[in-house]
Amino acid sequence: MENVLQIVWLIPFLPLLGFLVNGLGRKYMPKAMVSIVGCGVILASFLMSIWVFIHVREGGGYVADYFNFIVVDKLKIPFALQVDELSSLFLMIITGVGFLIHVYSTAYMHEEKPEHFGRYFAYLNLFVFSMLLLVMGANYVIMFIGWEGVGLCSYLLIGYWFKNVAFNKAANKAFVMNRIGDLAFLIAIFWIIAKVGNANYADVIAFAKAGKFGASDITVITLLLFVGATGKSAQIPLYTWLPDAMAGPTPVSALIHAATMVTAGIYMIARSNALYSLSDLTMHVVTYVGLATAILAATIAVQQNDIKKVLAYSTVSQLGYMFMALGLGAYSAAVFHVMTHAFFKALLFLGSGSVIHAMSGEQDIRNMGGLGKKLKITSFTFLMGCIAIAGIPPFSGFFSKDAILLSAFEENKALYAVALLGALLTAFYMFRLFFITFTGKFRGTEDQAHHVHESPLSMTLPLIILAVLALAGGWVGIPEVFMKGGDKLSAFLSPVIPVKEGESPGHSTELALMAISTIAVLAVIAFSWFRFRGYQRKGEAQGLAKVLENKWYVDELYEKIIVKPLQQFGSFLNDVFERSVVDGLVNGVGRAVSYSSRQLRLLQSGQVGSYVLLMVLSMLLIFVLQFFLRK
Amino acid sequence: MNITQILVGSLSVITLFSALMVIISRNPVHSVLWLIVTFFSISGHYIVLNAQFLAIVNIIVYAGAIMVLFLFVIMLMNLNRETEPQKNKWLKLAGVLSGGSLLLVIVAALHTGDIKAMAQVKEGDIGLIGTLGKELFSTYVVPFEISSILFLSAMVGAVVIGKKE
Amino acid sequence: MPIVYYLYLSLALFCIGIVGVLTRRNAIIIFMCIEIMLNAVNLLLVAFSKMHPPKAGIDGQLFVFFIMVVAAAEVSVGLAIIVMMYRRIHSVDVNFLNRLKH
């Protein structure tokens, strides 16, 4: 064995094994066994990921080449897995958070029938497999396999309760919107292969570094990759599927639609940073799309009443931040935020799951309130999550968000101001959510009040662990200003993501910015405390609030400008074009053949004489053609 | 214009005229008689071309055997001018037109190709009985024998078809 | 004589045969027209055989001989058929022969 990392294939393989066992045995296996298999394989992968992480930290990355996946003429796509600083970090996040969510799911999904329970864990394992393949692939094609795999699992899990039509529609929406992005991604891969000759990261990056890409090629490729990322990572204009994806079970929302899958776009761009750094245009597009998404989603989240929808828009908004960071060239800050976001957003989703579980499926926060007294662990950990996402030191969100805001400040002051506004909005809607849900008086029915209870240990334990991570997860990236060499993450990632060079705004400015953002966030929290501590149900929202509650009418807009015209075009084709042109053509051909054969039949008189006449005429024709037309 | 040309020319006129009369005559018996004239004049051409063997065979086989057969059949059926079936005139016109245009097309084609070759007349010995007979009984002996089998089978066939059931 | 002369002659003869086949309904006349066409071809073959004097012509003339042989056999069978047809329908009109339609 030339390198111990040759066995990294086990990491994705184990969840695949779990998928096969759970998927095939779902009718025969008891729930306990499904749980053990489902969680066990992820735990094993997680332990291996730690082992890989340690190895990579000591000895750098490694590409494990197993066999040729596609061989066409000179084009060779190997089935190769790559573990390096970036992918090992993602491995840890995926398997670690994934394991906690698996454990949580065993309790959350306990009321399902054994068969569906097995199906759920099979999907979940398949998802982890695909996601691991996505981050471990050593070329864009393997990444694309994982990319499609996670899309499929997302679809399957959103539509997990497949008897509900609305849920199926949400699943379809997610799938179709992802396809739009995937098409762009696929074209980008083709383009890369056409230019570079293969799709291996190492070759592509070397090609890019050697400056062999044309300026327009690089712009088109990166823009197409970005379009792919907007589909998967829910950015404008393809973000509307993510809030609808909340139809799936809450742990799924936590794992797929908050912590891991939606960050695939970030991973992809971070992985291709060598390409992106070559195109200023794309970088600007990424920045502004990210910023716009962050602000738009944050404003929508302010007026949502579904606990999961608030978190969904929050996710979209945070992803927008990450894209903004990518666009600003702060790739490591984006990856850092992916990590901390995975912790606190998974925590928040699982916390909301716990609340929903306690409220017997109720998701509307207007019917909650005062739950803090009854759900002590849940509310406490939820509060930790809110503080983390709001960005108050020393919680993890502070460090990652601060890194992004700082890079925005370096780029452009106005950008910083808008980004800060987004951060304040985040704090506002998160604490609105917290106060309405956990403080004040209970507004639900008597029945619900009687039933409210704290969740079992298998649900609260992941919450506690994630809360600790949400607190401490940011300490790997402490800015230089507090601690020399504190930014271990950037240093660790530097082989894959070059450290951004440029003059720092200076320690005093940096400290001032932090102070400003922290004070502003605290002020916003206080404001929301006064506003929402005694929340009472109000009538219909008016004015801007109504627009926000209806998500800026973006879904309606899409319906109007894309879906409706397409449907009308389709029905036009069906009613007019199909009937008159296509049918007319087909039937016309039929009628013409039948008519002409009725006429031609008369030639077949049976009279030998007429046959001879025709024969002579044909001979004549042949002679004419032969002698005169040939020249 | 020498005597050969005059001979060939007048033979040609007789050939074409009698052939035309074959198809024009209403009475089948007249047609047969005109056909015999045609065959004789073609034999005359053969003689001019010094193909004496074929000239003799043509007279014996065609004018002698085949035409007699035709004549017998016609007389047997008692065909005459009155029983002769007639096509309608449009079909006749169509037939004449298509045959005529075929002639026209091929003549035009021949006209464009400027052919200079000459045929030997009144000389050469390839058409003599001795020359052909040697060849026939050496190189072509197998086809010759096979043709006798053909005749036998034709005879058997004619008898089988012709006998009353 | 120029070969073109014989070409035109046999061509004319052949076309007369065709016109006869096309314009007549009597099976026997049609048969005779076919004989005219055969003879037109024979005449041309003989003329061609005299085009390249020494040896090449013999094959051509023997070919003509075999055509005559086959024509004789054909006439005997063909006339037998016509006689049988006459016995069946008491006519030699080819318009009655329209069974090809079915």
Side-chain angles (χ1 to χ4, degrees):
Chain A
M1 185 69 74
E2 68 268 39
N3 194 315
V4 284
L5 291 174
Q6 190 75 32
I7 59 160
V8 289
W9 61 272
L10 272 174
I11 298 178
F13 178 74
L14 285 170
L16 181 65
L17 192 71
F19 158 67
L20 292 174
V21 171
N22 279 338
L24 297 174
R26 66 183 191 280
K27 290 190 179 160
Y28 317 106
M29 285 163 51
K31 285 187 194 175
M33 203 171 149
V34 170
S35 310
I36 289 167
V37 171
C39 300
V41 290
I42 306 295
L43 180 62
S45 284
F46 177 53
L47 294 176
M48 278 199 67
S49 301
I50 295 175
W51 176 78
V52 165
F53 181 77
I54 292 167
H55 265 281
V56 168
R57 206 171 161 190
E58 285 166 358
Y62 178 69
V63 176
D65 195 340
Y66 295 108
F67 56 88
N68 275 335
F69 182 58
I70 297 172
V71 180
V72 180
D73 196 25
K74 284 180 205 142
L75 171 66
K76 279 197 181 61
I77 307 285
F79 190 90
L81 299 180
Q82 176 168 15
V83 277
D84 58 6
E85 288 76 9
L86 184 60
S87 57
S88 64
L89 184 71
F90 268 85
L91 285 183
M92 296 258 285
I93 299 170
I94 294 161
T95 52
V97 176
F99 172 65
L100 292 175
I101 291 171
H102 273 70
V103 171
Y104 179 93
S105 298
T106 57
Y108 188 84
M109 302 300 285
H110 203 71
E111 281 156 34
E112 296 290 320
K113 288 190 187 124
E115 188 186 335
H116 296 305
F117 193 74
R119 184 164 63 90
Y120 174 82
F121 274 93
Y123 290 165
L124 222 50
N125 283 344
L126 182 62
F127 168 75
V128 173
F129 161 71
S130 308
M131 192 69 206
L132 291 174
L133 205 59
L134 194 161
V135 296
M136 289 177 80
N139 56 55
Y140 283 102
V141 176
I142 303 298
M143 184 201 257
F144 189 73
I145 298 172
W147 187 274
E148 291 298 315
V150 293
L152 169 70
C153 295
S154 162
Y155 166 78
L156 290 171
L157 284 165
I158 294 168
Y160 173 72
W161 285 302
F162 53 81
K163 285 180 182 163
N164 186 319
V165 177
F167 291 1
N168 277 331
K169 280 193 173 160
N172 280 341
K173 186 172 179 182
F175 203 66
V176 170
M177 285 202 142
N178 268 303
R179 280 294 79 66
I180 299 171
D182 293 348
L183 177 67
F185 187 17
L186 203 55
I187 295 171
I189 293 175
F190 293 154
W191 205 301
I192 288 172
I193 290 175
K195 288 286 160 199
V196 182
N198 65 37
N200 295 341
Y201 298 142
D203 296 334
V204 174
I205 289 169
F207 196 83
K209 288 223 170 106
K212 289 185 195 157
F213 275 115
S216 54
D217 283 329
I218 198 79
T219 304
V220 173
I221 288 171
T222 48
L223 278 176
L224 283 169
L225 286 175
F226 176 61
V227 172
T230 59
K232 193 61 79 192
S233 296
Q235 295 297 294
I236 291 174
L238 298 175
Y239 74 93
T240 58
W241 67 270
L242 186 58
D244 287 12
M246 295 303 131
T250 309
V252 170
S253 309
L255 177 60
I256 299 183
H257 305 120
T260 54
M261 184 188 89
V262 289
T263 61
I266 319 285
Y267 169 77
M268 187 246 278
I269 293 180
R271 178 56 87 190
S272 322
N273 65 73
L275 305 182
Y276 276 84
S277 300
L278 292 175
S279 173
D280 282 342
L281 174 67
T282 315
M283 293 296 261
H284 284 116
V285 170
V286 174
T287 307
Y288 289 106
V289 168
L291 183 64
T293 312
I295 299 297
L296 183 84
T299 54
I300 294 172
V302 167
Q303 272 295 328
Q304 294 300 305
N305 290 322
D306 184 319
I307 187 167
K308 285 179 75 182
K309 283 273 163 73
V310 176
L311 293 176
Y313 279 105
S314 163
T315 306
V316 175
S317 167
Q318 297 299 312
L319 288 167
Y321 270 107
M322 295 173 207
F323 274 101
M324 189 177 85
L326 291 172
L328 294 168
Y331 302 107
S332 66
V335 174
F336 186 25
H337 200 56
V338 165
M339 187 177 88
T340 57
H341 177 257
F343 296 146
F344 59 68
K345 191 48 69 63
L347 168 63
L348 289 169
F349 263 113
L350 294 186
S352 76
S354 180
V355 169
I356 295 166
H357 193 68
M359 295 288 291
S360 317
E362 178 63 60
Q363 296 194 8
D364 193 334
I365 53 174
R366 285 172 298 193
N367 296 333
M368 298 176 185
L371 294 177
K373 285 170 227 119
K374 287 172 180 160
L375 308 176
K376 285 214 166 56
I377 300 174
T378 305
S379 66
F380 181 67
T381 52
F382 202 89
L383 180 62
M384 301 268 281
C386 287
I387 296 174
I389 195 173
I392 294 172
F395 283 79
S396 61
F398 168 73
F399 296 105
S400 56
K401 191 173 278 188
D402 182 67
I404 295 174
L405 288 177
L406 189 63
S407 58
F409 185 79
E410 286 168 27
E411 175 80 15
N412 189 336
K413 305 280 185 297
L415 201 66
Y416 169 78
V418 180
L420 184 63
L421 176 70
L424 299 182
L425 279 172
T426 308
F428 177 72
Y429 65 69
M430 284 316 298
F431 277 92
R432 167 181 174 269
L433 178 67
F434 180 78
F435 290 136
I436 293 179
T437 310
F438 291 103
T439 64
K441 281 202 294 266
F442 188 74
R443 294 178 297 274
T445 59
E446 282 296 311
D447 203 28
Q448 282 172 326
H450 188 68
H451 187 259
V452 169
H453 62 281
E454 182 57 283
S455 307
L457 183 66
S458 56
M459 282 169 76
T460 50
L461 192 63
L463 288 179
I464 294 165
I465 295 171
L466 282 170
V468 172
L469 285 171
L471 171 64
W475 297 348
V476 297
I478 299 170
E480 295 285 314
V481 64
F482 291 128
M483 198 169 95
K484 196 75 187 153
D487 196 355
K488 294 194 189 69
L489 188 79
S490 298
F492 174 67
L493 289 173
S494 59
V496 186
I497 298 170
V499 176
K500 197 183 176 190
E501 289 180 16
E503 72 281 22
S504 173
H507 284 180
S508 52
T509 324
E510 203 177 331
L511 280 173
L513 292 176
M514 288 179 190
I516 289 170
S517 68
T518 308
I519 290 165
V521 163
L522 285 172
V524 165
I525 293 171
F527 171 68
S528 66
W529 161 247
F530 285 116
R531 180 105 192 260
F532 295 111
R533 67 182 162 169
Y535 179 80
Q536 287 300 319
R537 189 190 298 267
K538 280 179 287 205
E540 278 290 297
Q542 296 295 325
L544 184 64
K546 188 167 182 224
V547 174
L548 292 181
E549 198 172 329
N550 287 301
K551 312 153 203 166
W552 291 104
Y553 296 104
V554 170
D555 274 322
E556 287 76 3
L557 185 73
Y558 282 1
E559 178 85 16
K560 272 236 161 54
I561 64 168
I562 296 173
V563 179
K564 273 276 152 57
L566 270 180
Q567 273 178 349
Q568 271 164 5
F569 183 60
S571 56
F572 163 76
L573 285 184
N574 183 35
D575 296 339
V576 182
F577 190 75
E578 165 87 14
R579 295 263 160 77
S580 55
V581 181
V582 177
D583 282 4
L585 205 67
V586 172
N587 294 341
V589 167
R591 265 199 290 272
V593 167
S594 134
Y595 174 79
S596 53
S597 43
R598 259 202 306 281
Q599 300 305 311
L600 271 175
R601 204 187 54 177
L602 300 179
L603 279 178
Q604 191 79 3
S605 59
Q607 303 287 348
V608 184
S610 64
Y611 293 164
V612 177
L613 182 64
L614 283 177
M615 195 179 88
V616 171
L617 288 175
S618 313
M619 252 162 62
L620 191 63
L621 192 69
I622 289 168
F623 276 124
V624 168
L625 291 176
Q626 178 77 13
F627 288 130
F628 301 110
L629 296 188
R630 205 177 50 171
K631 282 171 199 164
Chain B
M1 206 178 218
N2 58 29
I3 187 80
T4 317
Q5 282 171 328
I6 293 169
L7 195 61
V8 170
S10 48
L11 275 175
S12 302
V13 171
I14 296 168
T15 313
L16 291 178
F17 177 74
S18 52
L20 269 176
M21 288 313 288
V22 172
I23 63 169
I24 288 171
S25 305
R26 286 284 172 93
N27 192 332
V29 179
H30 292 177
S31 288
V32 173
L33 294 176
W34 279 117
L35 191 56
I36 291 169
V37 174
T38 312
F39 287 153
F40 270 104
S41 58
I42 287 173
S43 287
H45 278 295
Y46 290 165
I47 289 167
V48 173
L49 285 164
N50 211 14
Q52 295 156 3
F53 173 67
L54 286 178
I56 300 299
V57 170
N58 199 39
I59 288 170
I60 295 172
V61 173
Y62 270 109
I66 295 179
M67 291 333 289
V68 169
L69 214 53
F70 269 102
L71 215 50
F72 273 176
V73 169
I74 288 170
M75 288 176 167
L76 209 67
M77 293 171 182
N78 196 21
L79 297 179
N80 51 40
R81 196 186 169 91
E82 280 68 45
T83 57
E84 184 64 15
Q86 288 296 327
K87 278 197 166 164
N88 80 41
K89 62 178 179 194
W90 291 113
L91 275 177
K92 274 187 183 169
L93 189 66
V96 172
L97 279 181
S98 47
S101 41
L102 186 64
L103 179 70
L104 208 65
V105 165
I106 299 177
V107 165
L110 286 177
H111 199 71
T112 53
D114 193 16
I115 302 166
K116 291 281 194 319
M118 301 290 283
Q120 264 182 343
V121 288
K122 300 191 299 180
E123 56 185 348
D125 58 353
I126 55 171
L128 302 183
I129 297 173
T131 323
L132 286 177
K134 276 190 195 125
E135 191 71 10
L136 193 58
F137 290 111
S138 54
T139 315
Y140 288 94
V141 69
V142 178
F144 183 72
E145 295 300 335
I146 288 174
S147 64
S148 67
I149 297 172
L150 176 71
F151 269 120
L152 185 67
S153 49
M155 192 176 75
V156 172
V159 171
V160 168
I161 291 170
K163 79 171 186 192
K164 285 199 166 147
E165 58 269 3
Chain C
M1 292 295 287
I3 196 71
V4 178
Y5 177 81
Y6 286 101
L7 271 168
Y8 287 136
L9 175 62
S10 18
L11 183 57
L13 209 51
F14 189 86
C15 285
I16 288 169
I18 283 182
V19 171
V21 169
L22 290 178
T23 50
R24 301 301 293 258
R25 280 165 68 187
N26 187 330
I28 296 173
I29 305 286
I30 289 174
F31 214 2
M32 289 181 346
C33 292
I34 291 170
E35 296 306 318
I36 291 178
M37 288 193 267
L38 278 172
N39 269 279
V41 173
N42 283 351
L43 177 59
L44 195 57
L45 273 172
V46 173
F48 280 155
S49 80
K50 301 294 282 186
M51 224 165 84
H52 303 292
K55 176 80 172 74
I58 296 178
D59 290 346
Q61 298 214 353
L62 284 176
F63 211 84
V64 172
F65 172 70
F66 282 113
I67 289 175
M68 288 177 180
V69 166
V70 173
E74 172 227 338
V75 165
S76 63
V77 177
L79 282 175
I81 291 172
I82 290 173
V83 168
M84 193 188 67
M85 166 191 164
Y86 185 77
R87 242 193 250 140
R88 283 268 176 101
I89 60 178
H90 294 285
S91 168
V92 288
D93 189 348
V94 288
N95 277 13
F96 287 107
L97 303 177
N98 60 357
R99 297 291 291 274
L100 280 177
K101 195 175 182 177
H102 306 294

